């Protein structure tokens, strides 16, 4: 599994990640993406379920600024 968070200062609010993985990403009032999965609140501390890994990879691949970060460990 993977942990994920959006580096919001690099997000350009393109919307692609939420289209690819609506169970993982939503957008704040400025249209910037954040991880909403299981109440993570873009902390990167919630392990993404195996059945969402494909959606997650699609989102990562679709992000024009590569600001979706993943880690094998929870983000500090
Ligand atoms: Fe932002 Fe990348 Fe999503 S630019 S809206 S994190 S696809």
């Amino acid at each position: 599994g993977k942990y994920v968070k959006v580096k919001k200062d690099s997000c350009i609010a393109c919307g692609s990640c939420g289209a690819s993985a609506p169970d993982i990403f939503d957008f704040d009032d400025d249209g910037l993406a954040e991880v909403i999965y299981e109440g993570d609140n873009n902390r990167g501390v919630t392990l993404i379920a195996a059945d969402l890994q494909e959606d997650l990879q699609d989102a990562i691949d679709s992000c024009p600024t590569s600001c979706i970060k993943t880690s094998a460990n929870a983000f500090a």
Side-chain angles (χ1 to χ4, degrees):
K2 281 179 182 168
Y3 296 88
V4 60
K5 71 185 296 184
V6 177
K7 195 166 170 273
K8 290 177 85 167
D9 58 358
S10 300
C11 175
I12 58 168
C14 81
S16 183
C17 55
S20 295
D23 294 325
I24 302 175
F25 301 100
D26 203 351
F27 306 99
D28 68 15
D29 291 342
D30 296 319
L32 301 178
E34 51 194 15
V35 175
I36 49 85
Y37 179 72
E38 298 272 334
D40 185 77
N41 199 25
N42 207 47
R43 290 173 298 156
V45 298
T46 310
L47 193 63
I48 305 297
D51 64 348
L52 289 176
Q53 293 298 326
E54 198 168 321
D55 284 359
L56 174 58
Q57 192 60 52
D58 287 346
I60 292 167
D61 292 344
S62 75
C63 180
T65 62
S66 301
C67 60
I68 300 170
K69 303 301 183 187
T70 61
S71 172
N73 302 304
F75 287 85

